[in-house]
């Protein structure tokens, strides 16, 4: 099937306004009749729930955390992009649009990305009005910094905690609506199923993580704002609880999953220190401005870095990419690190790490300057590793960070299931094959504050409110199914823990569906994942019962979904026989190691349809047309 | 290294709990505290026992989900560090470690080390916001804010809402948490408009939720993983007085 | 009135009344007839009566709200820790409720001792006075500095200074009063 993104016609800059004119509205009195479910309370979820509540809808907001203030958007450090052009350095909506599209290696929709750039400015205004304490200059104006993939300074920031401050802004708006009675929050609840009645999304089934009760909630529309799936790699920069469950269960109910193989690996994270590792911590990429990356020239060199003479060091980025040196783009730097470690030249425990050395920079600029620039990062590094990076080089290694892929949505953020809307990282729409820094926050808030309020009312205007309640047979069936699946997991009572399976899956994904992928590797992954999944269903051990707080059971449900989702991801990666952005197929590369796109055959969105477990998913294509820009070779040289 | 753990185990809110002893063996100093507990839990699961339930999520010190009072200190012995970022190199082989949940009347224990902190959300609901509508706001640079004020607001806004201040406070008061939000918004021109009402309703909600009164012990500051200063409590008090005497 | 129900309102009442009484404690030391170097304070009948009324009201409000707040605080922390480390607070701050009760009892004893015919031996009275003054010292050790924080007159820079000054004042007051008590005890014993 050929999918239609339903983008509005007309010139690029008029598209969104045109669409807004076409969209139907619901009168303020009638809005009260409508109930909307919002799942997830990160930037997209909190901003959507708050805004829809303010407009007068009845909103039921769900999150698995104990408070909606803890969504993983909170961990974003760097900043948020906007085309304000405050520094007068030549920025414009078009330029932000172009940079984002190019950064995504021309695998996103023009219309979506342009709209994102348009509303980026409203986001900054909104956040300032909410009291987000963005950095300012001495005259009191907002300050900007530059970020990767752009030649202008368009990133707004609040120290190293921009995500936190933006989320707390959205959270406070949400809390205000809770007080006014338009939004009800349901923390410590995990969505297990999407309920579809007569073809439309009409509710969800959730498990109360405290009591264990499985219950249904009916509504007139459902918004999934449930984040990304980087935890399919087991170790990632995501939160421990970040999962694919909500999106994947929607997929199993008929929603299409688009471009699942588009995942981003961040080059500068603190390396794994041992088998016990539970997550990876990101260090700002800005460190590469002053640090030099190297490994020993000889395999298995166990000497301290200070004992390795200059002649026996391999500054491999400077050697391989003399033009860009240590500042090569994220994906290239990540792959190069993996390559030298795979050769056995990695450093630190386990051998999966490379040095990021500040000795030269300290010599050139003095320790104080380095402290001023990166003091907080050096502190964080010391807290985690116990090492003083002023004295010895940091060790870094790439880590899975973000999922560009997600549930397929049209221009209105509606999935192929009417009434199911998908926002933020959970959808696939705006970042193509690679996301630029400081753009995730922008997209989450754009979707929640400024897009969904318009597009969802169009759907509501076509829907009679409150037509189904949880007494409907579909809801009863969903509860039965979910109870059965929980019961099944608990009854296995095998020998291995959930973590052991997750770790094993992560290793498969990292080795074969990670930074560089090959046909053989992907086929290998596809051949072993089903076996691991079968073993999980026979040998996993989950203690306790389903009728109270049971964290192992929560994890088991998520890992079970990752085990199925992993196959879809590998399938997509195998099918996409080109390299683009974060998806790197070793068969397709430029002489300098850059990704080699195949626009002739793969200039489309791959949206997958669930056909049953152990059955090949069905592929639907949404062709991408570029009317305003010409897809070029993504080069930063 | 090997450690002796005494951990609070409690099945549910309405059941009695007790400290139970566990051994943590072959712990690497590179592990985080929570990874150490993960390992203990893996052992318990394999033995068919219920693992220790504890809250955690981002494991990078920002979400505020992890709690735990470790050897009598919320978030453990390392200053300005959350439990998830506390590493085992801060302990020695053979150490005995006591792990308890955050305790306060307003934070009932749900299970083991997991507590219910929704009372903090309700303090924010009472008035911890600027009532800005979505859309229809002026340009971000329309109101200038002195750099110093923006920095002060940010100092207060760094609060992660973990509740360590309440756990540390001998009176179970949430004053530092409340003061951080009151101060963050009262410093900014956008927030001044509602400042008087905000400080009154938030402190009132704090008492209604069963938190105690501030006794100026400053234990909150010492336990705060983000180092929120008690000067913000003075600021809250100032805002309260201004509200009472009708001063702008 | 809402002020008297609010957590900050009541704290302000406690702080202000406490500081009024602390002020009296200072004046009382300076102008004490047993002080070998007394400073003559102006003796105006009207002012004296007014100050007595203010002190009495301060005492009542301080005690009433103090007890109320202490009861609430105890209720807010129903379960204690098996292991608890003290980070920044101190013995004096943690025991304000007890030092407060003892100080109140001591003040009543002190007023009765001076207004009723003298009873008891020198040793007993000296012991009671030393104990009472210790309780007062502990109360002021936390109370004086705490006042500035409660009325919002504190910043990052002033907090350590105010704390040291408050504690210092408490030490000086304690030393002064104990000196008088011991002096009169020695004089009495020698006589």
């Amino acid at each position: 099937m050929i999918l239609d993104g339903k983008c509005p016609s007309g010139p690029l800059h008029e598209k969104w306004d045109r669409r807004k004119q076409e969209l139907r509205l619901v009168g303020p009195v009638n809005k009260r009749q409508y109930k909307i479910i919002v799942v997830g309370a990160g930037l997209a979820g909190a901003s959507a729930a708050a805004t829809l509540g303010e407009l007068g809808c009845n909103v039921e907001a769900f999150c698995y955390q104990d408070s909606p203030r803890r969504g993983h958007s909170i961990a974003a450090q760097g900043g948020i992009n906007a085309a304000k052009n405050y520094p007068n350095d030549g920025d414009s909506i078009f330029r932000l649009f172009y940079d984002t599209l190019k950064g995504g290696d021309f695998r996103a929709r023009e219309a979506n990305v342009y709209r994102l750039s348009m509303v980026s400015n409203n986001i900054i205004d909104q956040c300032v009005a909410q009291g987000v304490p963005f950095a300012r200059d001495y005259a009191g104006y907002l300050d900007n910094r530059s970020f990767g993939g752009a030649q202008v300074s368009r990133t707004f920031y609040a120290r190293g905690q921009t995500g936190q401050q933006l989320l707390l802004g959205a959270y406070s708006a949400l809390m205000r609506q809770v007080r006014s009675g338009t939004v009800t929050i349901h923390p410590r609840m995990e969505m297990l199923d999407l309920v579809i009645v007569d073809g439309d999304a009409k509710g969800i089934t959730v498990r109360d993580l405290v009591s264990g009760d499985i219950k249904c909630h009916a509504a007139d529309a459902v918004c999934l704002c449930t984040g990304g799936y980087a935890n399919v790699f087991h170790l990632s920069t995501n939160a421990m609880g970040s999962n694919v469950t909500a999106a994947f269960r929607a997929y199993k109910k008929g929603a299409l999953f688009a471009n699942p193989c588009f995942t981003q690996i961040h080059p500068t994270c603190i390396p794994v220190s041992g088998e016990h590792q539970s997550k990876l911590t990101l260090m700002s990429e800005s460190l590469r401005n002053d640090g030099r990356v190297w490994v020993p020239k000889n395999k298995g060199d166990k000497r301290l870095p200070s004992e390795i003479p200059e002649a026996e060091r391999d500054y491999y980025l400077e050697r391989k990419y003399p033009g860009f040196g240590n500042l090569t783009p994220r994906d290239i730097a990540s792959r190069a690190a993996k390559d030298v470690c795979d050769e056995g030249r990695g450093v630190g425990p386990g051998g999966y790490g490379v040095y990021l050395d500040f000795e030269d920079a300290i010599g050139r600029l003095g320790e104080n300057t380095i402290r001023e620039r990166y003091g907080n990062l050096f502190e964080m590094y010391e807290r985690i590793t116990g090492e003083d990076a002023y004295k010895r080089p940091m060790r870094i290694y790439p880590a899975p960070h973000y999922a560009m892929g997600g549930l397929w949505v049209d221009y209105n953020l509606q999935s192929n299931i009417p009434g199911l809307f998908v926002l933020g990282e959970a959808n696939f729409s705006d970042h193509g094959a690679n996301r630029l820094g400081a753009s995730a926050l922008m997209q989450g808030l754009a979707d929640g504050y400024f897009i969904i309020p318009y597009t969802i009312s169009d759907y509501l205007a076509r829907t009679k409110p409150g037509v189904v309640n949880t007494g409907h047979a579909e809801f009863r069936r969903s509860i039965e199914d979910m109870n059965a699946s929980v019961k099944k997991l608990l009854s296995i009572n095998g020998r291995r823990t959930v973590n052991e399976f997750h770790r094993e899956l992560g290793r498969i994904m990292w080795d074969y569906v990670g930074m560089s992928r090959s046909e053989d590797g992907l086929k290998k992954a596809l051949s072993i994942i089903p076996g691991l999944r079968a073993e999980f269903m026979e040998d996993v051990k989950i203690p306790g019962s389903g009728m109270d707080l049971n964290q192992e059971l929560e994890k088991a449900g998520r890992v079970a979904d990752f085990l199925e989702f992993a196959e879809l991801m590998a399938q997509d990666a195998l099918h996409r026989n080109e390299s683009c952005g974060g998806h790197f197929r070793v068969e397709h590369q430029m002489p300098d190691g850059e990704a080699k796109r195949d626009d002739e055959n793969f200039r489309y969105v791959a949206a997958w349809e669930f056909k049953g477990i152990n059955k090949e998913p069905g592929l639907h294509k949404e062709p991408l047309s570029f009317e305003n820009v010409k897809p070029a070779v993504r080069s930063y040289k | 290294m090997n450690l002796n753990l005494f951990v609070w185990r409690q099945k549910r809110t309405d059941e009695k709990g007790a400290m139970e002893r566990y051994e943590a063996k072959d712990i690497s100093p590179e592990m985080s505290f929570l990874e150490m507990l993960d390992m203990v839990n893996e052992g318990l699961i394999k033995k068919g026992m219920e693992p220790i339930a504890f809250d955690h999520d981002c494991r990078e010190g920002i979400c505020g989900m992890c709690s735990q009072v470790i050897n009598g200190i919320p978030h453990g012995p390392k200053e300005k560090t959350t439990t998830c970022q506390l590493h085992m190199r801060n302990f020695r082989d053979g150490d005995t470690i006591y792990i308890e949940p955050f305790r306060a009347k307003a934070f009932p224990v749900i299970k083991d080390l997991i507590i219910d902190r929704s009372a903090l959300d309700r303090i924010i609901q009472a008035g911890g916001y600027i009532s800005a509508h979505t859309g229809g706001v002026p340009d971000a640079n329309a109101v200038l804010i002195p750099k110093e004020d923006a920095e002060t607001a940010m100092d207060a806004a760094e609060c992660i809402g973990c509740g360590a201040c309440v756990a540390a406070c001998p009176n179970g008061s949430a004053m530092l948490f409340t003061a951080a939000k009151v101060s963050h918004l009262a410093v900014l021109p956008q927030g001044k408009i509602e400042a008087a009402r905000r400080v009154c309703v938030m402190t009132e909600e704090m008492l209604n939720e069963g938190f105690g009164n501030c006794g100026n012990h400053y234990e909150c500051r010492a336990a705060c993983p983000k180092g929120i200063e008690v000067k913000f409590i003075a600021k809250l008090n100032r805002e309260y007085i201004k509200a009472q005497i009708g001063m702008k | 009135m809402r002020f008297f129900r609010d957590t900050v309102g009541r704290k302000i009442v406690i702080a202000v009344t406490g500081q009024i009484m602390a002020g009296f404690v200072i004046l009382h030391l300076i102008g004490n007839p047993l002080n070998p170097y007394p400073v003559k304070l102006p003796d105006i009948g009207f002012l004296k009566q007014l100050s007595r009324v203010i002190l009495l009201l301060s005492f009542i409000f301080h005690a009433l709200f103090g007890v109320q707040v202490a009861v609430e605080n105890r209720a807010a922390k129903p379960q204690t820790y098996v292991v608890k480390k003290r980070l920044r607070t101190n013995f004096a701050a943690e025991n304000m409720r007890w030092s407060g009760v003892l100080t109140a009892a001591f003040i009543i004893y002190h007023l009765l001792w001076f207004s009723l015919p003298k009873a008891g031996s020198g040793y007993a009275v000296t012991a009671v006075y030393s104990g009472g003054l210790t309780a007062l010292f502990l109360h002021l050790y936390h109370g004086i500095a705490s006042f500035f924080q409660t009325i919002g007159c504190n910043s990052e820079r002033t907090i350590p200074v105010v704390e040291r000054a408050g504690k210092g004042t408490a030490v000086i007051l304690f030393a002064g009063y104990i000196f008088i008590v011991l002096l009169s005890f020695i004089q009495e014993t020698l006589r």
Side-chain angles (χ1 to χ4, degrees), chain B residues 43-233:
Chain B
L44 291 177
I45 295 165
K46 296 226 158 166
K47 277 193 235 158
M49 290 155 79
E50 273 223 46
I52 302 158
F54 59 90
D55 262 332
H56 62 104
D57 201 24
C58 78
R59 296 208 178 185
E60 50 184 291
I62 192 77
C63 77
M65 188 109 169
C66 59
S67 47
Q68 306 188 21
V69 171
I70 300 162
N71 283 341
I73 304 172
H75 291 298
K78 199 163 160 69
E79 222 193 318
K80 287 205 216 174
T81 303
T82 54
T83 299
C84 65
Q85 293 227 302
L86 177 68
H87 279 66
M88 295 313 291
R89 69 182 75 87
N90 293 293
F91 297 90
R92 288 208 194 98
D93 186 31
D95 272 1
T96 297
I97 305 175
Y98 291 84
I99 310 171
E100 299 176 68
F102 282 3
R103 292 204 185 280
K105 186 184 163 212
F107 287 172
V109 173
I110 293 175
K111 185 177 186 177
D112 297 345
L113 304 172
I114 296 182
I115 49 158
D116 179 354
R117 280 171 286 197
S118 54
L120 296 182
D121 285 329
R122 289 189 290 275
I123 293 178
I124 300 293
Q125 283 161 24
Y129 43 75
I130 292 171
S131 303
H133 297 275
T134 305
V137 298
D139 183 87
N141 261 344
V143 179
L144 301 184
I145 300 171
K147 186 181 173 71
E148 208 172 74
D149 291 352
E151 294 290 325
T152 307
M154 184 64 207
D155 287 341
E158 284 196 38
C159 168
I160 58 173
C162 64
C165 45
V166 178
C169 178
N171 304 342
S173 178
M175 198 65 149
L176 190 63
F177 170 83
T178 310
K181 189 45 71 187
V182 164
S183 303
H184 157 210
L185 297 177
V187 170
L188 301 170
Q190 312 90 297
K192 282 208 166 80
I193 297 155
E194 296 167 280
R197 184 185 164 271
R198 184 181 303 121
V199 65
C200 293
V201 294
M202 286 181 78
T203 48
E204 188 180 5
E205 183 67 24
M206 183 185 99
L207 277 200
N208 291 344
E209 290 293 337
F211 292 103
N213 302 278
C214 175
N216 300 336
H217 291 276
Y218 305 160
E219 287 290 280
C220 50
R221 162 63 184 85
C224 177
K226 295 291 145 183
I228 309 283
E229 295 290 344
V230 286
K231 70 171 179 191
F232 292 121
I233 296 181

Side-chain angles (χ1 to χ4, degrees), chain B residues 8 19 69 71-74 98 100-106 166-172 175 200-201 203-204 206-207 210-219 221-223 229-231 233-234 236-238 240-241 244, chain C residues 1-12 68-70 72-90 93-95 97 142 145-156 159 163:
Chain B
W8 183 262
M19 297 297 274
V69 171
N71 283 341
I73 304 172
Y98 291 84
E100 299 176 68
F102 282 3
R103 292 204 185 280
K105 186 184 163 212
V166 178
C169 178
N171 304 342
M175 198 65 149
C200 293
V201 294
T203 48
E204 188 180 5
M206 183 185 99
L207 277 200
F211 292 103
N213 302 278
C214 175
N216 300 336
H217 291 276
Y218 305 160
E219 287 290 280
R221 162 63 184 85
E229 295 290 344
V230 286
K231 70 171 179 191
I233 296 181
L236 177 146
N237 295 338
R238 213 150 57 228
Y240 177 82
I241 293 169
Q244 289 301 316
Chain C
M1 210 174 127
R2 155 171 209 163
F3 186 80
F4 294 107
R5 289 198 320 265
D6 281 349
T7 179
V8 185
R10 288 180 301 171
K11 257 177 60 124
I12 290 170
Q68 193 190 30
V69 162
E72 280 177 18
N73 291 350
R74 175 157 274 204
K77 205 89 180 177
Q79 195 165 4
T80 50
Y81 294 102
V82 176
V83 177
K84 177 77 182 92
K85 277 215 183 81
R86 190 189 281 156
L87 300 169
R88 204 165 141 176
T89 190
N90 52 51
E94 280 180 338
N95 292 287
R97 59 190 71 160
H142 179 64
S146 203
F147 165 83
F148 293 94
Q149 172 79 357
T150 299
I151 63 156
C153 197
N154 233 352
S155 74
E156 218 164 326
I159 286 171
E163 266 194 47

Side-chain angles (χ1 to χ4, degrees), chain A residues 326-452:
Chain A
N326 298 296
L327 286 173
T328 47
R330 274 186 186 179
D331 46 349
I332 294 184
S334 295
R335 280 195 299 274
K338 184 177 189 291
D339 289 346
V340 293
C341 293
D342 287 346
E343 285 167 24
R345 297 194 287 142
V347 299
Y352 282 94
V354 299
Y355 288 126
L356 180 62
D357 200 332
F358 291 87
E359 198 182 341
D360 284 0
I362 289 172
R364 193 173 66 240
L365 304 162
E367 195 176 311
N368 278 338
T369 310
I370 296 299
R371 196 180 296 275
E372 260 168 42
R373 285 186 191 167
Y374 313 111
N376 57 341
L377 293 168
F378 278 51
E379 242 171 61
M380 182 166 83
Y381 182 79
E382 182 167 11
R383 208 175 294 136
I384 292 170
T385 63
E387 288 172 15
D388 179 358
Y390 296 103
K391 302 254 150 43
R392 59 184 289 176
M394 269 184 193
R395 289 175 294 110
I396 55 162
Y397 199 63
H401 178 52
Y402 186 86
M404 283 75 71
L407 291 175
W408 183 87
V409 290
D410 63 16
Y411 185 76
N412 288 358
L413 302 182
Q414 185 168 232
S415 73
N416 56 311
I417 298 173
L420 177 67
F421 292 81
V422 190
L423 285 65
E425 191 180 351
N427 74 26
F428 87 105
S429 69
D430 294 357
H431 304 297
N434 177 49
R435 178 181 64 75
L436 289 185
S439 284
L441 303 180
M442 175 170 69
Q443 189 220 338
L445 290 181
D447 289 0
Y449 283 136
F450 298 113
I451 298 170
I452 196 71

Side-chain angles (χ1 to χ4, degrees), chain A residues 219-269:
Chain A
D220 299 298
V222 176
C223 296
L224 294 189
C225 314
T226 50
Y229 48 79
N231 269 350
V232 70
F233 292 101
H234 179 235
L235 293 180
S236 82
T237 64
N238 281 190
M240 299 297 285
S242 301
N243 64 75
V244 76
T245 293
F248 195 71
R249 307 260 169 120
Y251 162 74
K252 283 170 98 172
K253 280 291 179 84
L256 301 178
F257 211 112
N259 299 337
C261 77
F262 288 166
T263 50
Q264 186 173 71
I265 312 281
H266 198 286
T268 51
C269 298

